[in-house]
Amino acid sequence: MINSPSFSQSIIPTAVCVLIPTYNNAKTLKRVLDGVLAYTTQVIVVNDGSTDATAEILANYPSITVLHLEKNSGKGKALRIGFDTARKQGFQYAITIDSDGQHFPDDIPTFIDALNQSDGNILLIGERQMDQAGIPKKSSFGNKFSNFWFWFETGIKLADTQSGYRLYPLDRIPKKLYTNKFELEIEVIVRSAWKDIVVKNVPIKILYDPTERVSHFRPFKDFTRISILNTFLVLISLLYIFPRNAFRSFKKKSFKDFLKEDILGTHDSNFIKSISIALGVFIGIAPLWGFQSFLSIFLASVFRLNKGLCFAFSNVSIPPMIPLIIWGSIQTGKLFISSAKPLLDYSQIDFQAISEHFLQYLLGSLALALVTAVLFGLSSFTLLRFNQRR
């Protein structure tokens, strides 16, 4: 918690600097710098290999720290260098603001106020009004795309995860960051959330002026980089973060409370629970061998179902049940293929039997999975309502 009577007195004792990465934004850089300097002289600018008049403009500001990179390395690399420099200078927090003129320096007090109202363990992201006139539809779509994956990877719902106007707690965010381009801004907030740093939005204004704004975002290359990063983050979430969080929750609660709240989901409706069970059963019986655990957690997260129940019932295909499920699937498949080969009992199940009846098995397993899922869903809903009435 940072105690200070006014904004003008709080900016220095809170050890907050303003970090500005810039690359070929000579048209707007001076306006941004002048606006920021109205609030603080604690400014670090990273010139990421600009080839325009950026260096000449920065030469007129001897009171600020300027770092010149010989070659353009990407916004992520510029931010990483800026973070390290800010830490060495003793700053605890860095407010990052883009140099393309879309952000308003007079929103800096908004970040300071939100920081003062917290315990300091917070990462703030400026929330832009993406539905206002002039904002490209691709930007709005990209933001929604990013918001969804951030929610999936962390469980935190935000309205804006792509804004570059942020406040970072320098001593709490990961010291080692791996990406160098625009995707770093995703990496740092996801990994910070995993470290139990509070990540939240604060409202900011935004200006989109196509006549002066220069965007260096390359739709295909950068979107591909972000997609690859999200793939890794999702895998880490499923294989480590979700199990870790469940284990932490288990340690903090009695087994009974853990079962009720985290597995059975006391606060979930009977409908959500029964749908979760049905989805788990469908995944467990369908021909998705090797992917059932992943798909159960992934789809339950996507559709906001009970992950514990869905995962538990996806294990209906435990080894003793596998031959019976395959046999039942092949028998069901006979309803769809008139020339199907006979299979007398499940003791005949082996790889050769499956290969000989593959299409029959494939169609039958999907049909059996659907019917069984519906039966499990309806029966579980009935039992849950009966138990609730009791």
Side-chain angles (χ1 to χ4, degrees):
M1 180 78 177
I2 299 167
N3 297 315
S4 187
S6 68
F7 169 73
S8 61
Q9 294 175 328
S10 72
I11 189 71
I12 296 176
T14 53
V16 177
C17 70
V18 175
L19 172 59
I20 307 174
T22 186
Y23 174 61
N24 287 348
N25 284 127
K27 289 183 179 180
T28 53
L29 180 59
K30 183 179 185 305
R31 186 174 79 235
V32 173
L33 285 171
D34 292 341
V36 170
L37 288 170
Y39 292 93
T40 179
T41 57
Q42 297 171 171
V43 180
I44 299 172
V45 178
V46 182
N47 176 17
D48 188 21
S50 297
T51 56
D52 58 3
T54 293
E56 289 80 358
I57 293 172
L58 292 173
N60 297 318
Y61 294 88
S63 64
I64 66 177
T65 299
V66 177
L67 305 173
H68 293 284
L69 307 185
E70 292 185 5
K71 295 181 179 180
N72 175 248
S73 300
K75 185 179 182 181
K77 186 64 176 292
L79 286 173
R80 287 166 55 184
I81 293 171
F83 292 156
D84 290 340
T85 302
R87 291 191 190 100
K88 291 176 182 177
Q89 293 185 1
F91 293 110
Q92 298 173 14
Y93 300 92
I95 295 176
T96 59
I97 182 171
D98 292 342
S99 63
D100 59 5
Q102 67 169 302
H103 298 147
F104 289 79
D106 61 11
D107 278 325
I108 289 177
T110 301
F111 289 91
I112 299 300
D113 289 343
L115 178 61
N116 278 324
Q117 294 170 21
S118 73
D119 63 359
N121 184 43
I122 194 167
L123 190 159
L124 301 168
I125 304 174
E127 179 184 344
R128 303 163 294 177
Q129 298 301 313
M130 300 300 292
D131 56 351
Q132 72 182 45
I135 295 182
K137 290 184 178 180
K138 63 180 180 180
S139 296
S140 180
F141 169 79
N143 190 51
K144 291 178 180 178
F145 177 86
S146 177
N147 295 346
F148 168 78
W149 286 113
F150 178 75
W151 165 77
F152 180 85
E153 292 150 4
T154 66
I156 301 171
K157 292 182 180 179
L158 294 181
D160 193 344
T161 54
Q162 287 196 317
S163 171
Y165 207 170
R166 304 178 175 193
L167 182 144
Y168 291 99
L170 296 173
D171 294 332
R172 293 177 171 86
I173 62 174
K175 298 295 190 297
K176 179 67 174 177
L177 296 166
Y178 299 96
T179 50
N180 291 323
K181 306 295 183 180
F182 287 98
E183 69 271 17
L184 178 127
E185 292 179 308
I186 298 296
E187 179 194 354
V188 68
I189 62 172
V190 171
R191 293 180 59 202
S192 294
W194 288 349
K195 292 183 65 177
D196 298 322
I197 296 172
V198 177
V199 183
K200 62 181 293 187
N201 286 134
V202 292
I204 60 168
K205 302 181 291 295
I206 188 169
L207 172 66
Y208 269 84
D209 187 347
T211 62
E212 64 177 10
R213 181 173 181 266
V214 179
S215 175
H216 303 292
F217 186 87
R218 299 162 300 178
F220 179 76
K221 286 187 177 181
D222 290 313
F223 185 79
T224 300
R225 287 176 179 273
I226 291 172
S227 298
I228 293 172
L229 172 65
N230 276 318
T231 299
F232 280 103
L233 294 176
V234 165
L235 288 174
I236 295 171
S237 298
L238 293 172
L239 298 177
Y240 174 67
I241 299 299
F242 291 169
R244 182 203 68 178
N245 292 346
F247 180 71
R248 285 180 178 177
S249 182
F250 177 74
K251 286 177 64 178
K252 293 178 181 178
K253 302 174 183 178
S254 67
F255 179 77
K256 183 178 179 180
D257 289 339
F258 176 77
L259 184 64
K260 283 184 177 180
E261 297 176 15
D262 295 85
I263 300 299
L264 296 180
T266 301
H267 303 297
D268 286 336
S269 67
N270 292 335
F271 177 76
I272 291 296
K273 291 176 184 177
S274 58
I275 290 295
S276 303
I277 291 171
L279 178 60
V281 170
F282 179 85
I283 292 172
I285 296 177
L288 302 168
W289 308 106
F291 296 95
Q292 283 127 334
S293 296
F294 170 81
L295 286 173
S296 63
I297 296 175
F298 175 77
L299 293 176
S301 298
V302 170
F303 296 112
R304 302 178 185 179
L305 302 176
N306 186 303
K307 292 188 285 290
L309 284 174
C310 189
F311 173 77
F313 278 85
S314 71
N315 287 285
V316 66
S317 56
I318 55 177
M321 295 293 295
I322 291 175
L324 187 58
I325 290 174
I326 295 176
W327 178 80
S329 298
I330 293 175
Q331 294 298 97
T332 304
K334 290 170 63 177
L335 301 174
F336 303 96
I337 302 177
S338 57
S339 60
K341 295 181 180 180
L343 189 67
L344 298 179
D345 58 62
Y346 70 90
S347 64
Q348 299 180 11
I349 295 297
D350 54 25
F351 285 110
Q352 182 178 353
I354 295 174
S355 62
E356 291 176 353
H357 301 78
F358 182 73
L359 182 58
Q360 186 177 337
Y361 160 71
L362 187 65
L363 295 175
S365 62
L366 291 173
L368 182 64
L370 180 61
V371 172
T372 309
V374 171
L375 290 175
F376 267 76
L378 291 175
S379 59
S380 61
F381 182 77
T382 302
L383 289 172
L384 287 167
R385 288 201 64 182
F386 175 75
N387 182 64
Q388 189 177 50
R389 289 177 179 176
R390 288 184 60 190

